[in-house]
Every structure is written in structure tokens, then in C-alpha cells.
Amino acid sequence: MKQLQDAIIERGTVLSTGVLKVDQFLNHQVDTQLMTEIGLEFARLFQDEKVTKVITIESSGIAPSFMCAHQLQTPLIFARKKKSVTMNQANVYSSRVYSFTKQEHSEVTVSKDLIEEGDRVLLIDDFLANGEAASGLINIVEQAGASVVGVGIVIEKSFQNGRKKLEERGLRIESLARIASLEQSTVTFVEEPVAQNN
Ligand code: 5GP
């Protein structure tokens, strides 16, 4: 997605060979125009999957998934990373997730009331690195007897092994920007094959 690639180049900062900072438009300040376009693109990509619910993880997954769920006319569920007094802890699905950026484990939870057996769930997240967050969410969806029909990622770091892990599970992954490398403080995108007309 050209608009997203431009935002990454113009407003992103390479913090190290493994970490990209996008606080200017996604992780701290939100570019609502860009997030709207991103959400609509996810909805277009997954329009034939008969999605019944969109799931993401707080907090940075919420902005890019909101418009997708709105367009697909489904609820949007965001898994919680922190326990809340409003949630009955006896009535949650949970999964232990290792955070790439915080370098710590957390217990991610979703109320059992929100996912039903047979739901067709679309998973959306801001980044794909080693696939920990996505695997935790898939685990939660499966505990509910529902299925994940696809994974939508805003920024995939293709030099890490998240995509491989998810593909091994037979999942369809759509990433709107795929980064091949962050070496030498430079963002290099994966070259997409040029479409043939004949
Ligand atoms: P994974 O679980 O795939 O290893 O990592 C994905 C999660 O870690 C995302 O939800 C995102 O919050 C965070 N993350 C991973 N890599 C980056 C990165 O380079 N920059 C930022 N800002 N977040 C990242």
C-alpha cells in the first residue's frame, strides 16, 4: 500500500536493525485518514471470507482494525493485556504472550461472552515480528471453538519469522507493508512481483 509505505519512509524512524518506530501515525499519534484507508483495504481483501468478528490486541491494533470491522459490519474485539475489575476472570479465555517491544510476558484475555463457537474471526495487528501476539490471539479463538479466517497486518517485518510461523498453520496473511530490512538505518521494502496482464 503506497500511502502506508510513504508514511513509513517519511514519518517512521528506524530505532535499530530490528525495531521501527511509527509513533507519528500508528503507535502514539494516530493518522485517522491513513487508518481509515488501511481499515478499508483490510475489509476489501477479506470481503469474501464471511467474517463474523474482527479481533485485535490493545492498544495499537485498535485504530487500524476499527474501520475494517465497521466496513465488514462486524463487532471489533480487542484482547486485553491488563486485568480489569470489570472482567470476571473466571469467564475469560487467556493466552500467555511474549511482547517483542516490551520484552516481557503478559496474559492476554478475552471474555468468553464475546466469541462464539463457529465464529469466523479476522485477526488484525499493527506489526508482525515473531508472531507471538498473533499466535496468542489464534489460541484464544481456538479455545472458543471458532476459527481464524485470515490475518491482516499493517507492517510486517519479513526478516523475522512471524509470517513463516503463521503460514505453517495454513493461514492467509495479508500485510499492507512488508519490510525486507532495517539495516543501515534504512527501510527496504520487500519487492512485490509485478502483475502480468496476459
Ligand atoms: P510479535 O508478537 O509478532 O513478535 O510482535 C508483534 C507485536 O510487537 C506487535 O503487536 C507490536 O506491538 C510489537 N512490535 C513488534 N515489532 C515492532 C516494531 O518494530 N515496532 C513497533 N512499534 N512495534 C513492534
Side-chain angles (χ1 to χ4, degrees):
M1 190 179 172
K2 172 83 169 66
Q3 218 180 323
L4 173 60
Q5 287 193 346
D6 290 347
I8 292 170
I9 298 292
E10 288 158 20
R11 293 183 268 163
T13 310
V14 177
L15 288 187
S16 68
T17 54
V19 181
L20 176 71
K21 178 174 168 175
V22 289
D23 284 12
Q24 287 292 328
F25 61 91
L26 176 55
N27 289 145
H28 195 15
Q29 173 171 258
V30 172
D31 180 333
T32 56
Q33 210 66 46
L34 179 60
M35 289 310 123
T36 300
E37 295 302 325
I38 284 171
L40 293 177
E41 180 61 5
F42 282 136
R44 187 186 68 77
L45 289 166
F46 292 103
Q47 64 188 350
D48 296 329
E49 299 289 354
K50 300 187 174 68
V51 175
T52 60
K53 274 165 197 162
V54 175
I55 193 167
T56 190
I57 186 161
E58 67 174 359
S59 53
S60 295
I62 299 173
S65 53
F66 179 90
M67 199 60 198
C68 171
H70 177 73
Q71 183 75 2
L72 293 174
Q73 300 185 339
T74 70
L76 167 62
I77 301 165
F78 58 93
R80 296 265 178 99
K81 283 182 187 158
K82 293 245 161 66
K83 286 202 169 78
S84 161
V85 287
T86 63
M87 278 169 82
N88 173 1
Q89 290 304 311
N91 190 42
V92 296
Y93 299 116
S94 72
S95 187
R96 207 166 125 85
V97 167
Y98 181 75
S99 163
F100 179 83
T101 41
K102 299 200 178 77
Q103 305 204 332
E104 63 185 26
H105 282 95
S106 65
E107 200 73 15
V108 171
T109 55
V110 172
S111 167
K112 287 187 178 174
D113 300 333
L114 300 182
I115 314 178
E116 287 161 48
E117 206 180 315
D119 264 331
R120 295 175 60 81
V121 181
L122 172 62
L123 196 163
I124 304 263
D125 204 8
D126 59 341
F127 272 88
L128 179 63
N130 294 313
E132 290 281 323
S135 298
L137 290 180
I138 293 166
N139 184 269
I140 283 176
V141 171
E142 288 176 347
Q143 286 176 48
S147 56
V148 174
V149 295
V151 179
I153 298 291
V154 181
I155 304 172
E156 171 188 319
K157 290 181 294 173
S158 307
F159 55 90
Q160 291 167 323
N161 67 0
R163 172 177 278 266
K164 183 167 174 284
K165 244 190 238 175
L166 301 181
E167 277 178 346
E168 279 168 4
R169 302 179 73 148
L171 291 165
R172 173 181 171 200
I173 305 147
E174 298 285 355
S175 303
L176 303 187
R178 298 186 67 196
I179 294 176
S181 157
L182 294 173
E183 297 288 329
Q184 290 161 355
S185 301
T186 304
V187 179
T188 309
F189 293 105
V190 172
E191 282 191 37
E192 302 294 346
V194 180
Q196 301 280 325
N197 286 330
N198 50 0

